[in-house]
Amino acid sequence: MQEGTQGIVSMVEAQVERVFSPYALARFTQILTGAHHLRLVCHARPDGDAVGSMLGLGLVLQSLGYDVRCTAPNGIPKAFAWLEGGTLVDVFEEDAEAVNASSAACDALICLDFNDIRRVDPPLAELLADFPCPRIMLDHHVGPSDDFDLYFSYPLASSASEVVYELVMRQWGQEAITPAVAQALYMGIMTDTGSFSYACHSRRPYTAAGHLLERGADVAAIRSHVYGSYSEGRMRLYGCALHERMVLVAGGQAAIIDLPRKLLQHFDFQPGDTEGLVNEPLCIDGLNVSVLLTERNAKSVRVSLRSRNGIVVNGLAQRYFNGGGHPQAAGGLLHMPLGEAIVHTRRILSAFVAGKLNV
């Protein structure tokens, strides 16, 4: 094993031991002891990892006798909504009262795949901030806020689903991982690693995935649901985005795709339809940074950034796009019209690729 690889492995193992320390596990047990009503919540515009980690842990806790309710801030895309445990989920946008009514009775709030309450969007963020119970975070993003009472913050993990897997194995053992739990957690790890093509800093995600297969995860079924349930509109949107909306900048080393609201409406946009689109330009030889700009309204644009070949973009997202994230997968929000966002992004990318930005 090369020295650099040994260093990474040692760093990962050390972080795992810190995250799941005896104190943290004892505190987790203390919070759940005597608890009955548990509320789990994932981030806004849930992706496969948000849904998989939330339902995976939710099913484990339900099997242990807890009254579990899960909250998705927005609707769950069809590609991820097939998992067992869907009846546990309240969609806040569709039924805010269901979540509001449970706040007083909640014994613990468990937050998955986000590390800042603002990631769930107002007014849900305001409601969660007022929950009169301990707040537990399970996440893999850097820089957690001070919103929580107990942290399982594991930035070197591939996904929140990997964090849940590690916790479940330590807290309750492999018998808690039923086939339904294995399906959910495997889906989360698979989608957040691009089918194990990135975000794996050690062998641990592969080991976890292998064990989840042994516990009943059906990879063929998972892949069929996640990658084989697209609508015609989604496929045509992809084609249009790559053919008509993608431009190369910085001498072909970066790409920008912009999606106006009218275009999304034309293709009957549904939540999840742009999942993975930002990654597509990275297939171009010599191109290492890709940015997707999605118009939310006349003065707001959602930003997704991806990179490869060791180029780090989370600092770029934090400093110039009001966001953050992982080294090679980050996001943010620009408070400006789409046209201005395109000009801003082109300028920032050109300077970034030329090495003229300090991020």
mmCIF file with all atom_site columns, all heavy atoms in Angstrom, residues 137-155:
data_model
loop_
_atom_site.group_PDB
_atom_site.id
_atom_site.type_symbol
_atom_site.label_atom_id
_atom_site.label_alt_id
_atom_site.label_comp_id
_atom_site.label_asym_id
_atom_site.label_entity_id
_atom_site.label_seq_id
_atom_site.pdbx_PDB_ins_code
_atom_site.Cartn_x
_atom_site.Cartn_y
_atom_site.Cartn_z
_atom_site.occupancy
_atom_site.B_iso_or_equiv
_atom_site.pdbx_formal_charge
_atom_site.auth_seq_id
_atom_site.auth_comp_id
_atom_site.auth_asym_id
_atom_site.auth_atom_id
_atom_site.pdbx_PDB_model_num
ATOM 1   N N   . MET A 1 137 ? -28.027 15.214 14.701 1.00 0.00 ? 137 MET A N   1
ATOM 2   C CA  . MET A 1 137 ? -27.620 15.350 13.307 1.00 0.00 ? 137 MET A CA  1
ATOM 3   C C   . MET A 1 137 ? -26.795 14.148 12.873 1.00 0.00 ? 137 MET A C   1
ATOM 4   O O   . MET A 1 137 ? -25.860 13.735 13.559 1.00 0.00 ? 137 MET A O   1
ATOM 5   C CB  . MET A 1 137 ? -26.783 16.623 13.132 1.00 0.00 ? 137 MET A CB  1
ATOM 6   C CG  . MET A 1 137 ? -26.387 16.940 11.704 1.00 0.00 ? 137 MET A CG  1
ATOM 7   S SD  . MET A 1 137 ? -24.921 18.022 11.618 1.00 0.00 ? 137 MET A SD  1
ATOM 8   C CE  . MET A 1 137 ? -23.609 16.822 11.856 1.00 0.00 ? 137 MET A CE  1
ATOM 9   N N   . LEU A 1 138 ? -27.152 13.567 11.711 1.00 0.00 ? 138 LEU A N   1
ATOM 10  C CA  . LEU A 1 138 ? -26.341 12.539 11.064 1.00 0.00 ? 138 LEU A CA  1
ATOM 11  C C   . LEU A 1 138 ? -26.054 13.040 9.649  1.00 0.00 ? 138 LEU A C   1
ATOM 12  O O   . LEU A 1 138 ? -26.969 13.132 8.820  1.00 0.00 ? 138 LEU A O   1
ATOM 13  C CB  . LEU A 1 138 ? -27.067 11.193 11.003 1.00 0.00 ? 138 LEU A CB  1
ATOM 14  C CG  . LEU A 1 138 ? -27.218 10.426 12.317 1.00 0.00 ? 138 LEU A CG  1
ATOM 15  C CD1 . LEU A 1 138 ? -28.529 10.794 13.001 1.00 0.00 ? 138 LEU A CD1 1
ATOM 16  C CD2 . LEU A 1 138 ? -27.176 8.926  12.065 1.00 0.00 ? 138 LEU A CD2 1
ATOM 17  N N   . ASP A 1 139 ? -24.774 13.347 9.372  1.00 0.00 ? 139 ASP A N   1
ATOM 18  C CA  . ASP A 1 139 ? -24.489 14.027 8.100  1.00 0.00 ? 139 ASP A CA  1
ATOM 19  C C   . ASP A 1 139 ? -23.036 13.820 7.692  1.00 0.00 ? 139 ASP A C   1
ATOM 20  O O   . ASP A 1 139 ? -22.207 13.397 8.496  1.00 0.00 ? 139 ASP A O   1
ATOM 21  C CB  . ASP A 1 139 ? -24.793 15.512 8.240  1.00 0.00 ? 139 ASP A CB  1
ATOM 22  C CG  . ASP A 1 139 ? -24.636 16.264 6.936  1.00 0.00 ? 139 ASP A CG  1
ATOM 23  O OD1 . ASP A 1 139 ? -25.275 15.860 5.947  1.00 0.00 ? 139 ASP A OD1 1
ATOM 24  O OD2 . ASP A 1 139 ? -23.863 17.224 6.888  1.00 0.00 ? 139 ASP A OD2 1
ATOM 25  N N   . HIS A 1 140 ? -22.738 14.174 6.434  1.00 0.00 ? 140 HIS A N   1
ATOM 26  C CA  . HIS A 1 140 ? -21.385 14.021 5.906  1.00 0.00 ? 140 HIS A CA  1
ATOM 27  C C   . HIS A 1 140 ? -20.878 15.295 5.226  1.00 0.00 ? 140 HIS A C   1
ATOM 28  O O   . HIS A 1 140 ? -19.928 15.237 4.441  1.00 0.00 ? 140 HIS A O   1
ATOM 29  C CB  . HIS A 1 140 ? -21.322 12.837 4.924  1.00 0.00 ? 140 HIS A CB  1
ATOM 30  C CG  . HIS A 1 140 ? -22.140 13.022 3.675  1.00 0.00 ? 140 HIS A CG  1
ATOM 31  N ND1 . HIS A 1 140 ? -21.631 12.819 2.417  1.00 0.00 ? 140 HIS A ND1 1
ATOM 32  C CD2 . HIS A 1 140 ? -23.434 13.381 3.481  1.00 0.00 ? 140 HIS A CD2 1
ATOM 33  C CE1 . HIS A 1 140 ? -22.565 13.038 1.502  1.00 0.00 ? 140 HIS A CE1 1
ATOM 34  N NE2 . HIS A 1 140 ? -23.659 13.380 2.124  1.00 0.00 ? 140 HIS A NE2 1
ATOM 35  N N   . HIS A 1 141 ? -21.496 16.440 5.510  1.00 0.00 ? 141 HIS A N   1
ATOM 36  C CA  . HIS A 1 141 ? -21.029 17.702 4.964  1.00 0.00 ? 141 HIS A CA  1
ATOM 37  C C   . HIS A 1 141 ? -20.143 18.425 5.989  1.00 0.00 ? 141 HIS A C   1
ATOM 38  O O   . HIS A 1 141 ? -20.345 18.288 7.200  1.00 0.00 ? 141 HIS A O   1
ATOM 39  C CB  . HIS A 1 141 ? -22.209 18.599 4.584  1.00 0.00 ? 141 HIS A CB  1
ATOM 40  C CG  . HIS A 1 141 ? -23.092 18.009 3.525  1.00 0.00 ? 141 HIS A CG  1
ATOM 41  N ND1 . HIS A 1 141 ? -24.179 17.203 3.826  1.00 0.00 ? 141 HIS A ND1 1
ATOM 42  C CD2 . HIS A 1 141 ? -23.032 18.089 2.174  1.00 0.00 ? 141 HIS A CD2 1
ATOM 43  C CE1 . HIS A 1 141 ? -24.758 16.831 2.701  1.00 0.00 ? 141 HIS A CE1 1
ATOM 44  N NE2 . HIS A 1 141 ? -24.080 17.347 1.687  1.00 0.00 ? 141 HIS A NE2 1
ATOM 45  N N   . VAL A 1 142 ? -19.206 19.212 5.479  1.00 0.00 ? 142 VAL A N   1
ATOM 46  C CA  . VAL A 1 142 ? -18.284 19.923 6.385  1.00 0.00 ? 142 VAL A CA  1
ATOM 47  C C   . VAL A 1 142 ? -18.967 21.152 6.984  1.00 0.00 ? 142 VAL A C   1
ATOM 48  O O   . VAL A 1 142 ? -19.916 21.693 6.418  1.00 0.00 ? 142 VAL A O   1
ATOM 49  C CB  . VAL A 1 142 ? -17.009 20.356 5.635  1.00 0.00 ? 142 VAL A CB  1
ATOM 50  C CG1 . VAL A 1 142 ? -16.242 19.149 5.133  1.00 0.00 ? 142 VAL A CG1 1
ATOM 51  C CG2 . VAL A 1 142 ? -17.351 21.290 4.473  1.00 0.00 ? 142 VAL A CG2 1
ATOM 52  N N   . GLY A 1 143 ? -18.474 21.571 8.145  1.00 0.00 ? 143 GLY A N   1
ATOM 53  C CA  . GLY A 1 143 ? -18.920 22.819 8.748  1.00 0.00 ? 143 GLY A CA  1
ATOM 54  C C   . GLY A 1 143 ? -20.322 22.812 9.315  1.00 0.00 ? 143 GLY A C   1
ATOM 55  O O   . GLY A 1 143 ? -21.132 23.676 8.954  1.00 0.00 ? 143 GLY A O   1
ATOM 56  N N   . PRO A 1 144 ? -20.662 21.893 10.213 1.00 0.00 ? 144 PRO A N   1
ATOM 57  C CA  . PRO A 1 144 ? -22.010 21.902 10.794 1.00 0.00 ? 144 PRO A CA  1
ATOM 58  C C   . PRO A 1 144 ? -22.275 23.153 11.608 1.00 0.00 ? 144 PRO A C   1
ATOM 59  O O   . PRO A 1 144 ? -21.366 23.725 12.215 1.00 0.00 ? 144 PRO A O   1
ATOM 60  C CB  . PRO A 1 144 ? -22.026 20.647 11.677 1.00 0.00 ? 144 PRO A CB  1
ATOM 61  C CG  . PRO A 1 144 ? -20.590 20.379 11.989 1.00 0.00 ? 144 PRO A CG  1
ATOM 62  C CD  . PRO A 1 144 ? -19.828 20.810 10.765 1.00 0.00 ? 144 PRO A CD  1
ATOM 63  N N   . SER A 1 145 ? -23.532 23.583 11.619 1.00 0.00 ? 145 SER A N   1
ATOM 64  C CA  . SER A 1 145 ? -23.930 24.739 12.404 1.00 0.00 ? 145 SER A CA  1
ATOM 65  C C   . SER A 1 145 ? -24.123 24.320 13.864 1.00 0.00 ? 145 SER A C   1
ATOM 66  O O   . SER A 1 145 ? -23.965 23.149 14.219 1.00 0.00 ? 145 SER A O   1
ATOM 67  C CB  . SER A 1 145 ? -25.241 25.313 11.855 1.00 0.00 ? 145 SER A CB  1
ATOM 68  O OG  . SER A 1 145 ? -26.318 24.417 12.120 1.00 0.00 ? 145 SER A OG  1
ATOM 69  N N   . ASP A 1 146 ? -24.493 25.272 14.696 1.00 0.00 ? 146 ASP A N   1
ATOM 70  C CA  . ASP A 1 146 ? -24.696 24.974 16.122 1.00 0.00 ? 146 ASP A CA  1
ATOM 71  C C   . ASP A 1 146 ? -26.171 24.722 16.431 1.00 0.00 ? 146 ASP A C   1
ATOM 72  O O   . ASP A 1 146 ? -26.632 24.966 17.547 1.00 0.00 ? 146 ASP A O   1
ATOM 73  C CB  . ASP A 1 146 ? -24.151 26.113 16.983 1.00 0.00 ? 146 ASP A CB  1
ATOM 74  C CG  . ASP A 1 146 ? -24.808 27.456 16.677 1.00 0.00 ? 146 ASP A CG  1
ATOM 75  O OD1 . ASP A 1 146 ? -25.683 27.508 15.788 1.00 0.00 ? 146 ASP A OD1 1
ATOM 76  O OD2 . ASP A 1 146 ? -24.454 28.445 17.339 1.00 0.00 ? 146 ASP A OD2 1
ATOM 77  N N   . ASP A 1 147 ? -26.913 24.204 15.455 1.00 0.00 ? 147 ASP A N   1
ATOM 78  C CA  . ASP A 1 147 ? -28.348 23.979 15.617 1.00 0.00 ? 147 ASP A CA  1
ATOM 79  C C   . ASP A 1 147 ? -28.684 22.712 16.396 1.00 0.00 ? 147 ASP A C   1
ATOM 80  O O   . ASP A 1 147 ? -29.852 22.480 16.713 1.00 0.00 ? 147 ASP A O   1
ATOM 81  C CB  . ASP A 1 147 ? -29.026 23.868 14.241 1.00 0.00 ? 147 ASP A CB  1
ATOM 82  C CG  . ASP A 1 147 ? -28.952 25.151 13.440 1.00 0.00 ? 147 ASP A CG  1
ATOM 83  O OD1 . ASP A 1 147 ? -29.047 26.222 14.056 1.00 0.00 ? 147 ASP A OD1 1
ATOM 84  O OD2 . ASP A 1 147 ? -28.806 25.070 12.210 1.00 0.00 ? 147 ASP A OD2 1
ATOM 85  N N   . PHE A 1 148 ? -27.695 21.868 16.699 1.00 0.00 ? 148 PHE A N   1
ATOM 86  C CA  . PHE A 1 148 ? -27.988 20.520 17.168 1.00 0.00 ? 148 PHE A CA  1
ATOM 87  C C   . PHE A 1 148 ? -27.434 20.253 18.563 1.00 0.00 ? 148 PHE A C   1
ATOM 88  O O   . PHE A 1 148 ? -26.503 20.915 19.024 1.00 0.00 ? 148 PHE A O   1
ATOM 89  C CB  . PHE A 1 148 ? -27.421 19.504 16.163 1.00 0.00 ? 148 PHE A CB  1
ATOM 90  C CG  . PHE A 1 148 ? -27.852 19.767 14.745 1.00 0.00 ? 148 PHE A CG  1
ATOM 91  C CD1 . PHE A 1 148 ? -27.045 20.508 13.892 1.00 0.00 ? 148 PHE A CD1 1
ATOM 92  C CD2 . PHE A 1 148 ? -29.083 19.324 14.284 1.00 0.00 ? 148 PHE A CD2 1
ATOM 93  C CE1 . PHE A 1 148 ? -27.449 20.778 12.585 1.00 0.00 ? 148 PHE A CE1 1
ATOM 94  C CE2 . PHE A 1 148 ? -29.491 19.591 12.989 1.00 0.00 ? 148 PHE A CE2 1
ATOM 95  C CZ  . PHE A 1 148 ? -28.679 20.318 12.141 1.00 0.00 ? 148 PHE A CZ  1
ATOM 96  N N   . ASP A 1 149 ? -28.028 19.248 19.207 1.00 0.00 ? 149 ASP A N   1
ATOM 97  C CA  . ASP A 1 149 ? -27.598 18.855 20.551 1.00 0.00 ? 149 ASP A CA  1
ATOM 98  C C   . ASP A 1 149 ? -26.621 17.685 20.518 1.00 0.00 ? 149 ASP A C   1
ATOM 99  O O   . ASP A 1 149 ? -25.847 17.491 21.458 1.00 0.00 ? 149 ASP A O   1
ATOM 100 C CB  . ASP A 1 149 ? -28.823 18.470 21.389 1.00 0.00 ? 149 ASP A CB  1
ATOM 101 C CG  . ASP A 1 149 ? -29.800 19.619 21.534 1.00 0.00 ? 149 ASP A CG  1
ATOM 102 O OD1 . ASP A 1 149 ? -29.492 20.551 22.286 1.00 0.00 ? 149 ASP A OD1 1
ATOM 103 O OD2 . ASP A 1 149 ? -30.859 19.593 20.870 1.00 0.00 ? 149 ASP A OD2 1
ATOM 104 N N   . LEU A 1 150 ? -26.675 16.878 19.464 1.00 0.00 ? 150 LEU A N   1
ATOM 105 C CA  . LEU A 1 150 ? -25.771 15.739 19.313 1.00 0.00 ? 150 LEU A CA  1
ATOM 106 C C   . LEU A 1 150 ? -25.397 15.626 17.845 1.00 0.00 ? 150 LEU A C   1
ATOM 107 O O   . LEU A 1 150 ? -26.263 15.701 16.970 1.00 0.00 ? 150 LEU A O   1
ATOM 108 C CB  . LEU A 1 150 ? -26.443 14.447 19.800 1.00 0.00 ? 150 LEU A CB  1
ATOM 109 C CG  . LEU A 1 150 ? -25.645 13.154 19.612 1.00 0.00 ? 150 LEU A CG  1
ATOM 110 C CD1 . LEU A 1 150 ? -24.330 13.200 20.390 1.00 0.00 ? 150 LEU A CD1 1
ATOM 111 C CD2 . LEU A 1 150 ? -26.477 11.936 20.049 1.00 0.00 ? 150 LEU A CD2 1
ATOM 112 N N   . TYR A 1 151 ? -24.084 15.456 17.597 1.00 0.00 ? 151 TYR A N   1
ATOM 113 C CA  . TYR A 1 151 ? -23.577 15.448 16.234 1.00 0.00 ? 151 TYR A CA  1
ATOM 114 C C   . TYR A 1 151 ? -22.946 14.098 15.888 1.00 0.00 ? 151 TYR A C   1
ATOM 115 O O   . TYR A 1 151 ? -22.064 13.623 16.609 1.00 0.00 ? 151 TYR A O   1
ATOM 116 C CB  . TYR A 1 151 ? -22.508 16.522 16.049 1.00 0.00 ? 151 TYR A CB  1
ATOM 117 C CG  . TYR A 1 151 ? -23.000 17.937 16.203 1.00 0.00 ? 151 TYR A CG  1
ATOM 118 C CD1 . TYR A 1 151 ? -23.237 18.479 17.466 1.00 0.00 ? 151 TYR A CD1 1
ATOM 119 C CD2 . TYR A 1 151 ? -23.210 18.752 15.096 1.00 0.00 ? 151 TYR A CD2 1
ATOM 120 C CE1 . TYR A 1 151 ? -23.677 19.784 17.618 1.00 0.00 ? 151 TYR A CE1 1
ATOM 121 C CE2 . TYR A 1 151 ? -23.653 20.058 15.233 1.00 0.00 ? 151 TYR A CE2 1
ATOM 122 C CZ  . TYR A 1 151 ? -23.880 20.570 16.502 1.00 0.00 ? 151 TYR A CZ  1
ATOM 123 O OH  . TYR A 1 151 ? -24.314 21.854 16.646 1.00 0.00 ? 151 TYR A OH  1
ATOM 124 N N   . PHE A 1 152 ? -23.399 13.506 14.783 1.00 0.00 ? 152 PHE A N   1
ATOM 125 C CA  . PHE A 1 152 ? -22.659 12.439 14.125 1.00 0.00 ? 152 PHE A CA  1
ATOM 126 C C   . PHE A 1 152 ? -22.226 13.031 12.782 1.00 0.00 ? 152 PHE A C   1
ATOM 127 O O   . PHE A 1 152 ? -22.829 12.793 11.744 1.00 0.00 ? 152 PHE A O   1
ATOM 128 C CB  . PHE A 1 152 ? -23.523 11.193 13.947 1.00 0.00 ? 152 PHE A CB  1
ATOM 129 C CG  . PHE A 1 152 ? -23.849 10.504 15.246 1.00 0.00 ? 152 PHE A CG  1
ATOM 130 C CD1 . PHE A 1 152 ? -25.070 10.707 15.865 1.00 0.00 ? 152 PHE A CD1 1
ATOM 131 C CD2 . PHE A 1 152 ? -22.927 9.663  15.860 1.00 0.00 ? 152 PHE A CD2 1
ATOM 132 C CE1 . PHE A 1 152 ? -25.381 10.085 17.067 1.00 0.00 ? 152 PHE A CE1 1
ATOM 133 C CE2 . PHE A 1 152 ? -23.221 9.040  17.066 1.00 0.00 ? 152 PHE A CE2 1
ATOM 134 C CZ  . PHE A 1 152 ? -24.453 9.250  17.670 1.00 0.00 ? 152 PHE A CZ  1
ATOM 135 N N   . SER A 1 153 ? -21.183 13.839 12.820 1.00 0.00 ? 153 SER A N   1
ATOM 136 C CA  . SER A 1 153 ? -20.696 14.583 11.666 1.00 0.00 ? 153 SER A CA  1
ATOM 137 C C   . SER A 1 153 ? -19.468 13.867 11.102 1.00 0.00 ? 153 SER A C   1
ATOM 138 O O   . SER A 1 153 ? -18.400 13.870 11.718 1.00 0.00 ? 153 SER A O   1
ATOM 139 C CB  . SER A 1 153 ? -20.331 16.018 12.072 1.00 0.00 ? 153 SER A CB  1
ATOM 140 O OG  . SER A 1 153 ? -19.835 16.741 10.974 1.00 0.00 ? 153 SER A OG  1
ATOM 141 N N   . TYR A 1 154 ? -19.615 13.276 9.934  1.00 0.00 ? 154 TYR A N   1
ATOM 142 C CA  . TYR A 1 154 ? -18.608 12.381 9.359  1.00 0.00 ? 154 TYR A CA  1
ATOM 143 C C   . TYR A 1 154 ? -18.320 12.817 7.922  1.00 0.00 ? 154 TYR A C   1
ATOM 144 O O   . TYR A 1 154 ? -18.791 12.196 6.960  1.00 0.00 ? 154 TYR A O   1
ATOM 145 C CB  . TYR A 1 154 ? -19.152 10.952 9.440  1.00 0.00 ? 154 TYR A CB  1
ATOM 146 C CG  . TYR A 1 154 ? -18.291 9.838  8.924  1.00 0.00 ? 154 TYR A CG  1
ATOM 147 C CD1 . TYR A 1 154 ? -16.952 10.012 8.571  1.00 0.00 ? 154 TYR A CD1 1
ATOM 148 C CD2 . TYR A 1 154 ? -18.836 8.563  8.798  1.00 0.00 ? 154 TYR A CD2 1
ATOM 149 C CE1 . TYR A 1 154 ? -16.188 8.967  8.102  1.00 0.00 ? 154 TYR A CE1 1
ATOM 150 C CE2 . TYR A 1 154 ? -18.086 7.500  8.326  1.00 0.00 ? 154 TYR A CE2 1
ATOM 151 C CZ  . TYR A 1 154 ? -16.764 7.706  7.975  1.00 0.00 ? 154 TYR A CZ  1
ATOM 152 O OH  . TYR A 1 154 ? -16.008 6.661  7.498  1.00 0.00 ? 154 TYR A OH  1
ATOM 153 N N   . PRO A 1 155 ? -17.551 13.891 7.718  1.00 0.00 ? 155 PRO A N   1
ATOM 154 C CA  . PRO A 1 155 ? -17.331 14.440 6.377  1.00 0.00 ? 155 PRO A CA  1
ATOM 155 C C   . PRO A 1 155 ? -16.613 13.514 5.405  1.00 0.00 ? 155 PRO A C   1
ATOM 156 O O   . PRO A 1 155 ? -16.745 13.691 4.191  1.00 0.00 ? 155 PRO A O   1
ATOM 157 C CB  . PRO A 1 155 ? -16.495 15.699 6.641  1.00 0.00 ? 155 PRO A CB  1
ATOM 158 C CG  . PRO A 1 155 ? -16.843 16.086 8.042  1.00 0.00 ? 155 PRO A CG  1
ATOM 159 C CD  . PRO A 1 155 ? -17.019 14.785 8.761  1.00 0.00 ? 155 PRO A CD  1
#
